[in-house]
């Protein structure tokens, strides 16, 4: 799987001999776990009410699996909510912000999205701390008398926080972590996290549309002691008569979930349980290391995130020498047509480049096999 691309006599790049067995490198929805197939999903809950005994049992089972895998402390609640990670994070913002000043950290497009929500929708005039794509803001300068919004792993920039050490134990404000490309891939100190959100479609390779909301005790206290000034849509309401709606965190979803998506998530979670959290992290680490080797061996490839200490190990963003948006599109299209790699163009708001998902559901052998195909796509796009 270390083929080198040579030109033919006509100058056309030669196709590498070996393709990735599973060429799924999208950063969301991401690759299914190895061995997945639709006929392996449990189906007894399909066509049944999500409020039936079997429906609630399967929803609670998925919550229990997530808690076990994340090693989430009993102090933290976990619930399934509508709207993927975006819906979960906006639910947290709409229900809890406004009680204190807000600091929003933005170094990629989703962080900027939370800034837009805070400024234009909630109109709370946050302190915004920005960094360019590929960089991380000065975390030590954050004022923790404020509520703080941040992404644990910047999916569109390939930059992550190094750990949770920068979050003080004696913080006054709440920490709001968009962790959708981070959970199951990094060790997270849950004592430092008051609110976290993610979706199944990232590290677990699940289906979209469903979000997961994690609340620590300080977040619950905020919900029960503070009423926002703005109206709340029904799908955002987490409090009833001044108390947390505990049913949301016991499988009683606010609106109707797809039980097929739930069963798909359960398949992924059971696969993940067979490896354990450490096993999931090890797979992601190995994938990122294999891609790093590919980059190091090519002078035309680079990492958008320059600092390895804050470089994503899941959504790895790459620079391509001399490439503009059109060239990246040509490379991605050529790889897709050849069946060698799907959905590897960088995010639309990011600088032109490639983005390769290295989460645990990807096999390291497929990352290794991708290297010669990147050579081929680069040569093909340049020749065009």
């Amino acid at each position: 799987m270390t083929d080198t691309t040579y030109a033919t006599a006509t100058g056309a790049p030669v196709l590498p001999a070996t393709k990735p067995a599973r060429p799924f490198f999208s950063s969301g929805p991401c690759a299914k776990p190895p061995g997945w197939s639709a006929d392996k999903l449990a189906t007894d809950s399909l066509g049944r009410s999500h409020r039936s005994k079997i429906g609630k049992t399967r929803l609670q089972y998925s919550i229990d699996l997530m808690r076990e895998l994340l090693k989430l402390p009993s102090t933290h609640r976990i619930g399934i909510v509508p709207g993927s990670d975006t819906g979960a994070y906006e639910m947290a913002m709409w229900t809890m912000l406004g009680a204190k000043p807000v600091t929003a950290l933005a170094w990629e497009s989703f962080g900027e999205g939370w800034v837009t929500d805070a400024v234009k929708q909630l109109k709370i005039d946050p302190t915004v701390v920005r960094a360019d794509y590929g960089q991380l803001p000065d975390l030590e300068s954050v004022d923790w008398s404020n509520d703080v919004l941040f992404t644990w792993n910047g999916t569109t920039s390939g930059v992550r926080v190094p750990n949770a050490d920068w979050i003080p134990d004696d913080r006054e404000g709440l920490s709001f972590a968009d962790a959708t490309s981070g959970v199951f891939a990094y060790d997270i100190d849950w004592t430092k996290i008051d609110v976290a959100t993610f979706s199944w479609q990232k590290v677990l390779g699940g289906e979209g549309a469903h979000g997961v909301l994690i609340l620590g005790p300080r977040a619950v206290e905020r919900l029960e002691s503070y009423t926002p000034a703005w109206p709340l849509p029904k799908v955002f309401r987490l409090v009833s008569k001044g108390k947390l709606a505990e049913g949301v965190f016991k499988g009683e979803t606010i609106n109707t979930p797809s039980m097929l998506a739930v069963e798909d998530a359960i398949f992924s979670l059971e696969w993940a349980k067979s490896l354990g959290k450490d096993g999931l992290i090890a797979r992601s680490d190995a994938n990122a290391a294999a891609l790093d080797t590919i980059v190091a061996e090519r002078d035309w490839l680079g990492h958008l995130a320059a600092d390895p200490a804050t470089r994503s190990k899941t959504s790895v963003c790459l620079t391509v020498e001399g490439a503009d948006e059109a060239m990246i599109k040509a490379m991605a299209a050529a790889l897709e047509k050849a069946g060698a790699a799907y959905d590897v163009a960088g995010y639309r708001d990011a600088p032109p480049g490639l983005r390769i998902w290295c989460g645990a559901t990807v096999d390291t052998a497929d990352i290794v096999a991708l290297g010669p195909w990147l050579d081929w796509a680069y040569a093909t796009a340049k020749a065009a």
Side-chain angles (χ1 to χ4, degrees), residues 28-62:
C30 300
K32 294 293 187 185
W36 180 95
S37 68
D39 60 6
K40 293 181 180 179
L41 302 185
T43 57
D44 288 349
S45 67
L46 305 190
R48 296 294 307 274
S49 168
H50 61 294
R51 301 193 188 283
S52 66
K53 182 178 180 180
I54 187 172
K56 287 196 288 187
T57 297
R58 296 300 278 175
L59 286 160
Q60 182 64 59
Y61 179 49
S62 69

PDB file of all heavy atoms in Angstrom, residues 28-62:
ATOM      1  N   GLY A  28     -18.360  14.159   8.367  1.00  0.00           N
ATOM      2  CA  GLY A  28     -19.697  14.161   8.917  1.00  0.00           C
ATOM      3  C   GLY A  28     -20.774  14.254   7.851  1.00  0.00           C
ATOM      4  O   GLY A  28     -20.756  15.206   7.084  1.00  0.00           O
ATOM      5  N   PRO A  29     -21.669  13.243   7.802  1.00  0.00           N
ATOM      6  CA  PRO A  29     -21.595  11.995   8.543  1.00  0.00           C
ATOM      7  C   PRO A  29     -20.332  11.209   8.193  1.00  0.00           C
ATOM      8  O   PRO A  29     -19.873  11.264   7.067  1.00  0.00           O
ATOM      9  CB  PRO A  29     -22.855  11.242   8.118  1.00  0.00           C
ATOM     10  CG  PRO A  29     -23.798  12.304   7.646  1.00  0.00           C
ATOM     11  CD  PRO A  29     -22.922  13.342   7.015  1.00  0.00           C
ATOM     12  N   CYS A  30     -19.817  10.505   9.182  1.00  0.00           N
ATOM     13  CA  CYS A  30     -18.531   9.843   9.035  1.00  0.00           C
ATOM     14  C   CYS A  30     -18.702   8.351   8.724  1.00  0.00           C
ATOM     15  O   CYS A  30     -19.807   7.830   8.714  1.00  0.00           O
ATOM     16  CB  CYS A  30     -17.710  10.025  10.309  1.00  0.00           C
ATOM     17  SG  CYS A  30     -17.396  11.750  10.707  1.00  0.00           S
ATOM     18  N   ALA A  31     -17.565   7.700   8.485  1.00  0.00           N
ATOM     19  CA  ALA A  31     -17.569   6.279   8.139  1.00  0.00           C
ATOM     20  C   ALA A  31     -18.291   5.450   9.199  1.00  0.00           C
ATOM     21  O   ALA A  31     -18.183   5.708  10.394  1.00  0.00           O
ATOM     22  CB  ALA A  31     -16.133   5.780   7.993  1.00  0.00           C
ATOM     23  N   LYS A  32     -19.034   4.462   8.721  1.00  0.00           N
ATOM     24  CA  LYS A  32     -19.642   3.498   9.633  1.00  0.00           C
ATOM     25  C   LYS A  32     -18.550   2.649  10.289  1.00  0.00           C
ATOM     26  O   LYS A  32     -17.441   2.527   9.761  1.00  0.00           O
ATOM     27  CB  LYS A  32     -20.603   2.588   8.864  1.00  0.00           C
ATOM     28  CG  LYS A  32     -21.822   3.293   8.297  1.00  0.00           C
ATOM     29  CD  LYS A  32     -22.725   3.785   9.395  1.00  0.00           C
ATOM     30  CE  LYS A  32     -24.028   4.335   8.838  1.00  0.00           C
ATOM     31  NZ  LYS A  32     -24.854   4.929   9.920  1.00  0.00           N
ATOM     32  N   PRO A  33     -18.845   2.042  11.432  1.00  0.00           N
ATOM     33  CA  PRO A  33     -17.857   1.155  12.051  1.00  0.00           C
ATOM     34  C   PRO A  33     -17.538  -0.030  11.144  1.00  0.00           C
ATOM     35  O   PRO A  33     -18.372  -0.441  10.330  1.00  0.00           O
ATOM     36  CB  PRO A  33     -18.551   0.686  13.337  1.00  0.00           C
ATOM     37  CG  PRO A  33     -19.630   1.674  13.595  1.00  0.00           C
ATOM     38  CD  PRO A  33     -20.068   2.164  12.250  1.00  0.00           C
ATOM     39  N   PRO A  34     -16.346  -0.599  11.260  1.00  0.00           N
ATOM     40  CA  PRO A  34     -16.022  -1.801  10.498  1.00  0.00           C
ATOM     41  C   PRO A  34     -17.044  -2.902  10.764  1.00  0.00           C
ATOM     42  O   PRO A  34     -17.460  -3.115  11.892  1.00  0.00           O
ATOM     43  CB  PRO A  34     -14.638  -2.196  11.032  1.00  0.00           C
ATOM     44  CG  PRO A  34     -14.063  -0.918  11.567  1.00  0.00           C
ATOM     45  CD  PRO A  34     -15.222  -0.144  12.101  1.00  0.00           C
ATOM     46  N   GLY A  35     -17.458  -3.572   9.706  1.00  0.00           N
ATOM     47  CA  GLY A  35     -18.411  -4.669   9.848  1.00  0.00           C
ATOM     48  C   GLY A  35     -19.867  -4.249   9.827  1.00  0.00           C
ATOM     49  O   GLY A  35     -20.759  -5.097   9.875  1.00  0.00           O
ATOM     50  N   TRP A  36     -20.130  -2.945   9.717  1.00  0.00           N
ATOM     51  CA  TRP A  36     -21.523  -2.476   9.720  1.00  0.00           C
ATOM     52  C   TRP A  36     -22.242  -2.909   8.450  1.00  0.00           C
ATOM     53  O   TRP A  36     -21.687  -2.901   7.354  1.00  0.00           O
ATOM     54  CB  TRP A  36     -21.554  -0.945   9.807  1.00  0.00           C
ATOM     55  CG  TRP A  36     -22.949  -0.373   9.824  1.00  0.00           C
ATOM     56  CD1 TRP A  36     -23.687  -0.042  10.913  1.00  0.00           C
ATOM     57  CD2 TRP A  36     -23.761  -0.042   8.683  1.00  0.00           C
ATOM     58  NE1 TRP A  36     -24.913   0.459  10.536  1.00  0.00           N
ATOM     59  CE2 TRP A  36     -24.992   0.463   9.161  1.00  0.00           C
ATOM     60  CE3 TRP A  36     -23.576  -0.143   7.302  1.00  0.00           C
ATOM     61  CZ2 TRP A  36     -26.008   0.884   8.324  1.00  0.00           C
ATOM     62  CZ3 TRP A  36     -24.609   0.267   6.453  1.00  0.00           C
ATOM     63  CH2 TRP A  36     -25.801   0.771   6.966  1.00  0.00           C
ATOM     64  N   SER A  37     -23.492  -3.265   8.608  1.00  0.00           N
ATOM     65  CA  SER A  37     -24.415  -3.402   7.475  1.00  0.00           C
ATOM     66  C   SER A  37     -25.819  -3.225   8.011  1.00  0.00           C
ATOM     67  O   SER A  37     -26.094  -3.521   9.179  1.00  0.00           O
ATOM     68  CB  SER A  37     -24.266  -4.752   6.761  1.00  0.00           C
ATOM     69  OG  SER A  37     -24.696  -5.807   7.587  1.00  0.00           O
ATOM     70  N   ALA A  38     -26.700  -2.762   7.169  1.00  0.00           N
ATOM     71  CA  ALA A  38     -28.056  -2.443   7.617  1.00  0.00           C
ATOM     72  C   ALA A  38     -28.782  -3.661   8.160  1.00  0.00           C
ATOM     73  O   ALA A  38     -29.612  -3.538   9.082  1.00  0.00           O
ATOM     74  CB  ALA A  38     -28.844  -1.818   6.466  1.00  0.00           C
ATOM     75  N   ASP A  39     -28.481  -4.841   7.616  1.00  0.00           N
ATOM     76  CA  ASP A  39     -29.205  -6.029   8.076  1.00  0.00           C
ATOM     77  C   ASP A  39     -28.754  -6.503   9.446  1.00  0.00           C
ATOM     78  O   ASP A  39     -29.329  -7.450   9.998  1.00  0.00           O
ATOM     79  CB  ASP A  39     -29.111  -7.167   7.059  1.00  0.00           C
ATOM     80  CG  ASP A  39     -27.680  -7.606   6.779  1.00  0.00           C
ATOM     81  OD1 ASP A  39     -26.754  -7.109   7.461  1.00  0.00           O
ATOM     82  OD2 ASP A  39     -27.482  -8.421   5.863  1.00  0.00           O
ATOM     83  N   LYS A  40     -27.747  -5.853  10.011  1.00  0.00           N
ATOM     84  CA  LYS A  40     -27.305  -6.193  11.367  1.00  0.00           C
ATOM     85  C   LYS A  40     -28.000  -5.346  12.438  1.00  0.00           C
ATOM     86  O   LYS A  40     -27.780  -5.557  13.630  1.00  0.00           O
ATOM     87  CB  LYS A  40     -25.794  -6.032  11.489  1.00  0.00           C
ATOM     88  CG  LYS A  40     -25.007  -7.032  10.665  1.00  0.00           C
ATOM     89  CD  LYS A  40     -23.510  -6.846  10.850  1.00  0.00           C
ATOM     90  CE  LYS A  40     -22.729  -7.859  10.010  1.00  0.00           C
ATOM     91  NZ  LYS A  40     -21.263  -7.678  10.170  1.00  0.00           N
ATOM     92  N   LEU A  41     -28.813  -4.381  12.016  1.00  0.00           N
ATOM     93  CA  LEU A  41     -29.488  -3.521  12.981  1.00  0.00           C
ATOM     94  C   LEU A  41     -30.707  -4.223  13.561  1.00  0.00           C
ATOM     95  O   LEU A  41     -31.458  -4.901  12.850  1.00  0.00           O
ATOM     96  CB  LEU A  41     -29.926  -2.211  12.318  1.00  0.00           C
ATOM     97  CG  LEU A  41     -28.844  -1.357  11.661  1.00  0.00           C
ATOM     98  CD1 LEU A  41     -29.438  -0.044  11.159  1.00  0.00           C
ATOM     99  CD2 LEU A  41     -27.685  -1.096  12.604  1.00  0.00           C
ATOM    100  N   ALA A  42     -30.919  -4.029  14.852  1.00  0.00           N
ATOM    101  CA  ALA A  42     -32.148  -4.525  15.480  1.00  0.00           C
ATOM    102  C   ALA A  42     -33.333  -3.739  14.933  1.00  0.00           C
ATOM    103  O   ALA A  42     -33.234  -2.528  14.709  1.00  0.00           O
ATOM    104  CB  ALA A  42     -32.055  -4.379  16.989  1.00  0.00           C
ATOM    105  N   THR A  43     -34.450  -4.412  14.712  1.00  0.00           N
ATOM    106  CA  THR A  43     -35.593  -3.741  14.083  1.00  0.00           C
ATOM    107  C   THR A  43     -36.885  -3.848  14.883  1.00  0.00           C
ATOM    108  O   THR A  43     -37.922  -3.340  14.451  1.00  0.00           O
ATOM    109  CB  THR A  43     -35.836  -4.318  12.670  1.00  0.00           C
ATOM    110  OG1 THR A  43     -36.040  -5.735  12.776  1.00  0.00           O
ATOM    111  CG2 THR A  43     -34.651  -4.044  11.755  1.00  0.00           C
ATOM    112  N   ASP A  44     -36.863  -4.479  16.039  1.00  0.00           N
ATOM    113  CA  ASP A  44     -38.104  -4.664  16.797  1.00  0.00           C
ATOM    114  C   ASP A  44     -38.730  -3.341  17.213  1.00  0.00           C
ATOM    115  O   ASP A  44     -39.950  -3.265  17.399  1.00  0.00           O
ATOM    116  CB  ASP A  44     -37.836  -5.505  18.048  1.00  0.00           C
ATOM    117  CG  ASP A  44     -37.570  -6.973  17.720  1.00  0.00           C
ATOM    118  OD1 ASP A  44     -37.796  -7.355  16.554  1.00  0.00           O
ATOM    119  OD2 ASP A  44     -37.129  -7.713  18.609  1.00  0.00           O
ATOM    120  N   SER A  45     -37.905  -2.290  17.364  1.00  0.00           N
ATOM    121  CA  SER A  45     -38.452  -0.996  17.791  1.00  0.00           C
ATOM    122  C   SER A  45     -39.030  -0.187  16.631  1.00  0.00           C
ATOM    123  O   SER A  45     -39.704   0.819  16.858  1.00  0.00           O
ATOM    124  CB  SER A  45     -37.358  -0.171  18.484  1.00  0.00           C
ATOM    125  OG  SER A  45     -36.350   0.211  17.561  1.00  0.00           O
ATOM    126  N   LEU A  46     -38.798  -0.627  15.403  1.00  0.00           N
ATOM    127  CA  LEU A  46     -39.275   0.138  14.247  1.00  0.00           C
ATOM    128  C   LEU A  46     -40.786  -0.051  14.076  1.00  0.00           C
ATOM    129  O   LEU A  46     -41.326  -1.142  14.266  1.00  0.00           O
ATOM    130  CB  LEU A  46     -38.554  -0.303  12.980  1.00  0.00           C
ATOM    131  CG  LEU A  46     -37.028  -0.251  13.018  1.00  0.00           C
ATOM    132  CD1 LEU A  46     -36.453  -0.484  11.630  1.00  0.00           C
ATOM    133  CD2 LEU A  46     -36.538   1.069  13.587  1.00  0.00           C
ATOM    134  N   GLY A  47     -41.446   1.046  13.738  1.00  0.00           N
ATOM    135  CA  GLY A  47     -42.893   1.001  13.625  1.00  0.00           C
ATOM    136  C   GLY A  47     -43.609   1.071  14.953  1.00  0.00           C
ATOM    137  O   GLY A  47     -44.838   0.994  15.014  1.00  0.00           O
ATOM    138  N   ARG A  48     -42.837   1.204  16.023  1.00  0.00           N
ATOM    139  CA  ARG A  48     -43.406   1.315  17.364  1.00  0.00           C
ATOM    140  C   ARG A  48     -43.272   2.750  17.862  1.00  0.00           C
ATOM    141  O   ARG A  48     -42.390   3.499  17.442  1.00  0.00           O
ATOM    142  CB  ARG A  48     -42.673   0.382  18.334  1.00  0.00           C
ATOM    143  CG  ARG A  48     -42.814  -1.105  18.014  1.00  0.00           C
ATOM    144  CD  ARG A  48     -44.263  -1.579  18.181  1.00  0.00           C
ATOM    145  NE  ARG A  48     -44.791  -1.228  19.494  1.00  0.00           N
ATOM    146  CZ  ARG A  48     -44.646  -1.969  20.590  1.00  0.00           C
ATOM    147  NH1 ARG A  48     -43.968  -3.106  20.537  1.00  0.00           N
ATOM    148  NH2 ARG A  48     -45.180  -1.581  21.738  1.00  0.00           N
ATOM    149  N   SER A  49     -44.127   3.126  18.771  1.00  0.00           N
ATOM    150  CA  SER A  49     -44.020   4.440  19.391  1.00  0.00           C
ATOM    151  C   SER A  49     -42.730   4.532  20.198  1.00  0.00           C
ATOM    152  O   SER A  49     -42.353   3.576  20.902  1.00  0.00           O
ATOM    153  CB  SER A  49     -45.211   4.697  20.310  1.00  0.00           C
ATOM    154  OG  SER A  49     -44.985   5.839  21.120  1.00  0.00           O
ATOM    155  N   HIS A  50     -42.081   5.691  20.112  1.00  0.00           N
ATOM    156  CA  HIS A  50     -40.883   5.905  20.934  1.00  0.00           C
ATOM    157  C   HIS A  50     -41.257   6.003  22.416  1.00  0.00           C
ATOM    158  O   HIS A  50     -40.374   5.951  23.270  1.00  0.00           O
ATOM    159  CB  HIS A  50     -40.146   7.168  20.494  1.00  0.00           C
ATOM    160  CG  HIS A  50     -40.947   8.426  20.616  1.00  0.00           C
ATOM    161  ND1 HIS A  50     -42.068   8.669  19.862  1.00  0.00           N
ATOM    162  CD2 HIS A  50     -40.797   9.518  21.417  1.00  0.00           C
ATOM    163  CE1 HIS A  50     -42.575   9.846  20.179  1.00  0.00           C
ATOM    164  NE2 HIS A  50     -41.831  10.382  21.113  1.00  0.00           N
ATOM    165  N   ARG A  51     -42.542   6.133  22.704  1.00  0.00           N
ATOM    166  CA  ARG A  51     -42.999   6.185  24.098  1.00  0.00           C
ATOM    167  C   ARG A  51     -43.484   4.815  24.590  1.00  0.00           C
ATOM    168  O   ARG A  51     -43.905   4.686  25.743  1.00  0.00           O
ATOM    169  CB  ARG A  51     -44.112   7.226  24.251  1.00  0.00           C
ATOM    170  CG  ARG A  51     -43.656   8.618  23.831  1.00  0.00           C
ATOM    171  CD  ARG A  51     -44.619   9.696  24.267  1.00  0.00           C
ATOM    172  NE  ARG A  51     -44.266  10.986  23.690  1.00  0.00           N
ATOM    173  CZ  ARG A  51     -43.275  11.762  24.122  1.00  0.00           C
ATOM    174  NH1 ARG A  51     -42.536  11.375  25.129  1.00  0.00           N
ATOM    175  NH2 ARG A  51     -43.026  12.921  23.534  1.00  0.00           N
ATOM    176  N   SER A  52     -43.441   3.823  23.714  1.00  0.00           N
ATOM    177  CA  SER A  52     -43.779   2.470  24.146  1.00  0.00           C
ATOM    178  C   SER A  52     -42.665   1.933  25.036  1.00  0.00           C
ATOM    179  O   SER A  52     -41.581   2.518  25.132  1.00  0.00           O
ATOM    180  CB  SER A  52     -43.934   1.555  22.924  1.00  0.00           C
ATOM    181  OG  SER A  52     -42.679   1.395  22.271  1.00  0.00           O
ATOM    182  N   LYS A  53     -42.930   0.820  25.691  1.00  0.00           N
ATOM    183  CA  LYS A  53     -41.910   0.237  26.570  1.00  0.00           C
ATOM    184  C   LYS A  53     -40.637  -0.064  25.806  1.00  0.00           C
ATOM    185  O   LYS A  53     -39.527   0.255  26.261  1.00  0.00           O
ATOM    186  CB  LYS A  53     -42.457  -1.027  27.234  1.00  0.00           C
ATOM    187  CG  LYS A  53     -41.466  -1.672  28.197  1.00  0.00           C
ATOM    188  CD  LYS A  53     -42.058  -2.896  28.882  1.00  0.00           C
ATOM    189  CE  LYS A  53     -41.044  -3.519  29.841  1.00  0.00           C
ATOM    190  NZ  LYS A  53     -41.603  -4.722  30.525  1.00  0.00           N
ATOM    191  N   ILE A  54     -40.764  -0.657  24.600  1.00  0.00           N
ATOM    192  CA  ILE A  54     -39.570  -1.007  23.847  1.00  0.00           C
ATOM    193  C   ILE A  54     -38.850   0.248  23.355  1.00  0.00           C
ATOM    194  O   ILE A  54     -37.610   0.324  23.357  1.00  0.00           O
ATOM    195  CB  ILE A  54     -39.895  -1.940  22.658  1.00  0.00           C
ATOM    196  CG1 ILE A  54     -38.594  -2.414  21.999  1.00  0.00           C
ATOM    197  CG2 ILE A  54     -40.802  -1.266  21.647  1.00  0.00           C
ATOM    198  CD1 ILE A  54     -38.804  -3.477  20.937  1.00  0.00           C
ATOM    199  N   GLY A  55     -39.634   1.268  22.956  1.00  0.00           N
ATOM    200  CA  GLY A  55     -39.020   2.503  22.494  1.00  0.00           C
ATOM    201  C   GLY A  55     -38.203   3.186  23.572  1.00  0.00           C
ATOM    202  O   GLY A  55     -37.027   3.536  23.372  1.00  0.00           O
ATOM    203  N   LYS A  56     -38.801   3.358  24.740  1.00  0.00           N
ATOM    204  CA  LYS A  56     -38.089   4.008  25.847  1.00  0.00           C
ATOM    205  C   LYS A  56     -36.912   3.163  26.325  1.00  0.00           C
ATOM    206  O   LYS A  56     -35.869   3.698  26.715  1.00  0.00           O
ATOM    207  CB  LYS A  56     -39.062   4.303  26.994  1.00  0.00           C
ATOM    208  CG  LYS A  56     -40.012   5.461  26.687  1.00  0.00           C
ATOM    209  CD  LYS A  56     -40.697   6.000  27.924  1.00  0.00           C
ATOM    210  CE  LYS A  56     -41.734   5.056  28.472  1.00  0.00           C
ATOM    211  NZ  LYS A  56     -42.515   5.678  29.579  1.00  0.00           N
ATOM    212  N   THR A  57     -37.077   1.849  26.276  1.00  0.00           N
ATOM    213  CA  THR A  57     -35.990   0.966  26.706  1.00  0.00           C
ATOM    214  C   THR A  57     -34.771   1.117  25.796  1.00  0.00           C
ATOM    215  O   THR A  57     -33.626   1.189  26.271  1.00  0.00           O
ATOM    216  CB  THR A  57     -36.457  -0.500  26.720  1.00  0.00           C
ATOM    217  OG1 THR A  57     -37.499  -0.655  27.683  1.00  0.00           O
ATOM    218  CG2 THR A  57     -35.312  -1.433  27.073  1.00  0.00           C
ATOM    219  N   ARG A  58     -35.003   1.174  24.485  1.00  0.00           N
ATOM    220  CA  ARG A  58     -33.887   1.298  23.549  1.00  0.00           C
ATOM    221  C   ARG A  58     -33.235   2.685  23.641  1.00  0.00           C
ATOM    222  O   ARG A  58     -32.007   2.805  23.545  1.00  0.00           O
ATOM    223  CB  ARG A  58     -34.355   1.021  22.122  1.00  0.00           C
ATOM    224  CG  ARG A  58     -34.845  -0.382  21.904  1.00  0.00           C
ATOM    225  CD  ARG A  58     -33.790  -1.428  22.195  1.00  0.00           C
ATOM    226  NE  ARG A  58     -32.872  -1.608  21.066  1.00  0.00           N
ATOM    227  CZ  ARG A  58     -31.804  -2.382  21.099  1.00  0.00           C
ATOM    228  NH1 ARG A  58     -31.488  -3.037  22.216  1.00  0.00           N
ATOM    229  NH2 ARG A  58     -31.032  -2.514  20.027  1.00  0.00           N
ATOM    230  N   LEU A  59     -34.037   3.707  23.831  1.00  0.00           N
ATOM    231  CA  LEU A  59     -33.480   5.050  24.007  1.00  0.00           C
ATOM    232  C   LEU A  59     -32.637   5.121  25.275  1.00  0.00           C
ATOM    233  O   LEU A  59     -31.528   5.668  25.280  1.00  0.00           O
ATOM    234  CB  LEU A  59     -34.607   6.087  24.043  1.00  0.00           C
ATOM    235  CG  LEU A  59     -35.254   6.396  22.684  1.00  0.00           C
ATOM    236  CD1 LEU A  59     -36.629   7.025  22.880  1.00  0.00           C
ATOM    237  CD2 LEU A  59     -34.356   7.325  21.870  1.00  0.00           C
ATOM    238  N   GLN A  60     -33.147   4.557  26.361  1.00  0.00           N
ATOM    239  CA  GLN A  60     -32.387   4.549  27.612  1.00  0.00           C
ATOM    240  C   GLN A  60     -31.122   3.709  27.473  1.00  0.00           C
ATOM    241  O   GLN A  60     -30.062   4.068  28.010  1.00  0.00           O
ATOM    242  CB  GLN A  60     -33.241   4.018  28.746  1.00  0.00           C
ATOM    243  CG  GLN A  60     -32.538   4.015  30.103  1.00  0.00           C
ATOM    244  CD  GLN A  60     -32.181   5.414  30.581  1.00  0.00           C
ATOM    245  OE1 GLN A  60     -33.050   6.266  30.744  1.00  0.00           O
ATOM    246  NE2 GLN A  60     -30.882   5.666  30.796  1.00  0.00           N
ATOM    247  N   TYR A  61     -31.214   2.620  26.746  1.00  0.00           N
ATOM    248  CA  TYR A  61     -30.038   1.764  26.536  1.00  0.00           C
ATOM    249  C   TYR A  61     -28.937   2.535  25.808  1.00  0.00           C
ATOM    250  O   TYR A  61     -27.752   2.436  26.163  1.00  0.00           O
ATOM    251  CB  TYR A  61     -30.447   0.532  25.745  1.00  0.00           C
ATOM    252  CG  TYR A  61     -29.313  -0.426  25.432  1.00  0.00           C
ATOM    253  CD1 TYR A  61     -28.430  -0.862  26.420  1.00  0.00           C
ATOM    254  CD2 TYR A  61     -29.133  -0.904  24.130  1.00  0.00           C
ATOM    255  CE1 TYR A  61     -27.395  -1.750  26.117  1.00  0.00           C
ATOM    256  CE2 TYR A  61     -28.116  -1.795  23.831  1.00  0.00           C
ATOM    257  CZ  TYR A  61     -27.242  -2.204  24.821  1.00  0.00           C
ATOM    258  OH  TYR A  61     -26.221  -3.077  24.515  1.00  0.00           O
ATOM    259  N   SER A  62     -29.318   3.322  24.802  1.00  0.00           N
ATOM    260  CA  SER A  62     -28.308   4.106  24.089  1.00  0.00           C
ATOM    261  C   SER A  62     -27.672   5.138  25.014  1.00  0.00           C
ATOM    262  O   SER A  62     -26.460   5.386  24.955  1.00  0.00           O
ATOM    263  CB  SER A  62     -28.921   4.786  22.858  1.00  0.00           C
ATOM    264  OG  SER A  62     -29.834   5.806  23.218  1.00  0.00           O
TER     265      SER A  62
END
